[in-house]
Amino acid sequence: MRLQAWHAIVLLVVILLVFGASRLPDITRNVGRSMKIFKEEVKDLRDDGDTVKDAVNPDPEISSGTETTVNTTTTDTQHGVTQPGGSTPTDVPPTPGR
């Protein structure tokens, strides 16, 4: 079903009856402002997404599928090295034999 000219006319008449002729300029102005704000926000989100991708992978020649792993050993915690998100050195139990 396609939108025909008489559909638009009926829709405009219903809007006129519901809101009145004096309110239509305000309504259309507000809708226009809302659409402008929406478009700006979508553009900002796209730009932010590109910025995040560039920050994560600043060199486009490096594939994004590579992963970096960090190996931690018990000697790190025994020497008081705190890993990100890990426990503090005071939480490490004393090592037997030392």
Side-chain angles (χ1 to χ4, degrees):
M1 185 168 139
R2 295 182 58 130
L3 183 65
Q4 296 177 359
W6 69 273
H7 288 119
I9 293 171
V10 170
L11 184 63
L12 287 174
V13 169
V14 169
I15 291 173
L16 277 172
L17 290 174
V18 172
F19 295 108
S22 63
R23 299 266 320 201
L24 283 181
D26 294 334
I27 293 171
T28 55
R29 187 178 309 114
N30 289 335
V31 169
R33 287 178 185 164
S34 298
M35 290 301 297
K36 183 178 178 181
I37 292 170
F38 179 74
K39 287 180 183 180
E40 289 174 0
E41 293 297 324
V42 168
K43 182 182 174 187
D44 288 344
L45 286 175
R46 286 184 184 153
D47 292 344
D48 289 345
D50 292 341
T51 304
V52 169
K53 288 179 187 176
D54 291 341
V56 171
N57 190 9
D59 189 4
E61 293 179 7
I62 299 174
S63 68
S64 60
T66 60
E67 295 181 18
T68 304
T69 57
V70 176
N71 293 327
T72 59
T73 61
T74 56
T75 57
D76 288 341
T77 55
Q78 289 172 353
H79 293 289
V81 176
T82 305
Q83 298 298 323
S87 62
T88 60
T90 57
D91 294 339
V92 178
T95 306
R98 279 195 176 186

